[in-house]
Amino acid sequence: MGAVPVYRWRLAPDGLATRRQLRAAGLRPGGQDVVAQLERPRRRRGPLVAFLYRIDLALPVRPMTTARRAALAAANQARRTCPTCGRDAGYVIPTRLGECTPCAFPNSEQCAA
Ligand SMILES: [Zn+2]
C-alpha cells in the first residue's frame, strides 16, 4: 500500500467512508484500494486507524446467490439428519446426543399430543 492521505478523525472529506460506514449503507468497498485513512490519537498507544474508501466506487453488498443458499440449506439439512437412523429429525441434532431423541432414548414413550 502506498502513502495515502491521512485525515484527523471526524475531518474526513466528503465522498469517503469507512468500511463500517459503507456496510451500514448496504455497500462494500468492492475491491477498490484504500484512498485515505483516518487517525485518532490515543494516549500512550499508537493512533487508532480507519481506512477510507470512495463511496462512488463502492458496490452493493453481494446478494446471496442461489449456490450459497443451496450450500447453506445442505449444511442445515446435514445438521438435522440423524446419523443413526438417517431420518430428518426436524431439528438440529444435539451434539451432546449425537443422534435424534428416539434413537438416543429408544425406550422412552413418545408423547403424542
Ligand atoms: Zn435417529
Side-chain angles (χ1 to χ4, degrees):
M1 200 188 309
V4 296
V6 175
Y7 297 96
R8 301 247 324 263
W9 212 260
R10 275 190 255 278
L11 294 179
D14 285 344
L16 300 184
T18 63
R19 182 181 288 271
R20 197 190 190 94
Q21 288 165 339
L22 288 177
R23 185 72 207 193
L27 298 169
R28 61 190 169 93
Q32 64 173 294
D33 289 328
V34 169
V35 293
Q37 65 185 45
L38 287 179
E39 281 188 6
R40 179 159 66 180
R42 289 186 297 185
R43 232 179 278 176
R44 280 193 290 257
R45 277 186 292 175
L48 197 61
V49 173
F51 297 118
L52 291 170
Y53 300 90
R54 280 175 56 178
I55 295 171
D56 60 335
L57 292 181
L59 300 173
V61 171
R62 204 190 311 265
M64 192 177 282
T65 64
T66 319
R68 268 191 68 199
R69 204 187 298 275
L72 269 176
N76 277 325
Q77 179 71 46
R79 292 171 63 210
R80 291 203 316 259
T81 303
C82 172
T84 308
C85 63
R87 279 183 300 206
D88 182 346
Y91 49 87
V92 174
I93 302 293
T95 44
R96 217 159 55 86
L97 297 178
E99 50 189 5
C100 66
T101 33
C103 289
F105 310 105
N107 298 320
S108 68
E109 295 279 322
Q110 287 277 49
C111 293

